[in-house]
Amino acid sequence: MNTPHHSARAATAENQYVQVNGNEIAYRTFGVGSPIVLANRMRGTLDTWDPLFLDSLADRHTVITFDYPGVGYSSGTLPDDLGEVARFVSDFTTAIGLDSFAMLGWSWGGFTTQTLLLDQPERVTHAILVGTNPPGPGQLPIQQVFIDRAMKPVNDLDDEEVLFFEPRSAFSRAAAKASHDRIYARPDVVSKIPSRLEQFMVYLKAAEVFREDALGRRAGLTRTRTPMLVISGDNDTSTAGQNWFPLIGQLQNAQFVFYPESGHGPQHQYPELSAEYIADFIARTSR
């Protein structure tokens, strides 16, 4: 891995590129400390993480963000199988010189993180699962209000309030605008965000297979000793945090944080607090 830019911050970190399985994969790295690799949500790119959240993480960790193959600044094609996506993450991290690392997955990236920690447990030292669900059927489903906004080619601030925050809360709406303004301070964010239905369907197919769980990964979660921190909003209309409740008491090394008046992007509503929780969790837990 190229040396992280200790003086760089999220808003100024430059794209770096590495060849992975014949594709040119874009990533950014900055900060100081042990590495934490961030796996993004459906339609997320290098540009759509909240810079304040990343900078707060970077105070205590080397932050590595990346674009999946065929997404954002990366070439290639996004796989519709999370086992393949997890193998890509393993190959990518190997290509930049990482043997093991903490991994944070938001939403769809949380499915990727869980898959990698179960398929290659030696790679992931800690799993931070943000606005995401465990594998397995019988869960509170995604709500239509989320689907209606998530399928739009371009999302504006009003959409983001519904998708990632709690629009009934003035506090949450204010946090949404602050986060939006930080993200869109970087020029030309929109053009790199996947916007076509056929792109969306790849994410959705992979998510459906994860939920069906024919490979028994839900049971695998109950056997792992990898430390897990689950961060959820109390009104997540996509991946309801309440879907973790049946696993409380079965997971051997998991902790849970639920934020009030918040939705599918809790780390963007509470960026500094989330970073503090995550850094303390990594520092104070082990297998």
Side-chain angles (χ1 to χ4, degrees):
M1 181 174 68
N2 292 346
T3 302
H5 298 278
H6 299 298
S7 61
R9 306 301 273 175
T12 57
E14 297 179 356
N15 289 358
Q16 301 180 58
Y17 293 89
V18 64
Q19 290 288 320
V20 181
N21 301 324
N23 298 319
E24 191 171 61
I25 300 301
Y27 70 103
R28 295 174 188 158
T29 179
F30 52 95
V32 60
S34 63
I36 180 168
V37 175
L38 274 61
N40 219 331
R41 60 174 172 85
M42 171 176 163
R43 301 184 65 189
T45 74
L46 286 173
D47 296 333
T48 58
W49 294 100
D50 188 322
L52 180 56
F53 173 62
L54 298 184
D55 287 343
S56 299
L57 277 180
D59 287 339
R60 294 168 65 182
H61 289 280
T62 300
V63 173
I64 299 110
T65 59
F66 65 91
D67 280 340
Y68 300 111
V71 175
Y73 298 86
S74 292
S75 68
T77 303
L78 181 66
D80 62 7
D81 173 83
L82 283 157
E84 291 184 38
V85 180
R87 284 191 292 275
F88 154 74
V89 174
S90 178
D91 292 341
F92 161 70
T93 50
T94 297
I96 63 171
L98 295 181
D99 293 323
S100 61
F101 45 88
M103 186 167 173
L104 182 151
W106 178 17
S107 187
W108 199 83
F111 305 158
T112 300
T113 301
Q114 292 172 72
T115 302
L116 182 59
L117 79 87
L118 292 173
D119 291 0
Q120 299 189 46
E122 72 282 359
R123 303 303 304 274
V124 181
T125 63
H126 300 76
I128 299 92
L129 306 172
V130 180
T132 194
N133 275 171
Q139 305 190 25
L140 294 173
I142 188 171
Q143 296 182 26
Q144 191 64 42
V145 65
F146 188 95
I147 295 171
D148 291 343
R149 304 295 182 117
M151 295 295 106
K152 292 173 64 174
V154 178
N155 292 130
D156 58 17
L157 174 59
D158 183 66
D159 296 325
E160 290 169 7
E161 289 176 359
V162 173
L163 289 168
F164 306 123
F165 296 84
E166 166 50 290
R168 295 172 295 186
S169 163
F171 169 73
S172 188
R173 291 195 306 272
K177 183 175 189 311
S179 180
H180 175 91
D181 289 348
R182 290 190 295 265
I183 291 169
Y184 284 88
R186 188 183 277 267
D188 195 29
V189 170
V190 170
S191 72
K192 295 296 183 183
I193 297 174
S195 60
R196 302 191 314 276
L197 182 61
E198 58 265 31
Q199 294 174 301
F200 304 166
M201 296 310 294
V202 174
Y203 289 105
L204 295 175
K205 180 181 178 182
E208 181 59 30
V209 172
F210 182 80
R211 197 157 38 244
E212 292 169 353
D213 193 29
L215 296 177
R217 289 196 168 106
R218 186 181 182 93
L221 282 184
T222 68
R223 295 190 294 267
T224 182
R225 291 293 305 174
T226 300
M228 290 184 284
L229 176 63
V230 178
I231 299 178
S232 301
D234 63 352
N235 187 56
D236 187 334
T237 55
S238 176
T239 50
Q242 290 81 349
N243 287 326
W244 289 96
F245 288 178
L247 287 170
I248 292 176
Q250 297 183 45
L251 300 176
Q252 299 183 48
N253 204 0
Q255 301 178 31
F256 298 84
V257 173
F258 271 78
Y259 287 128
E261 298 185 23
S262 56
H264 189 52
Q267 82 286 13
H268 286 190
Q269 179 159 328
Y270 297 90
E272 293 161 305
L273 180 59
S274 296
E276 283 295 314
Y277 279 145
I278 291 164
D280 285 345
F281 167 76
I282 292 171
R284 298 174 187 275
T285 61
S286 60
R287 287 192 179 93

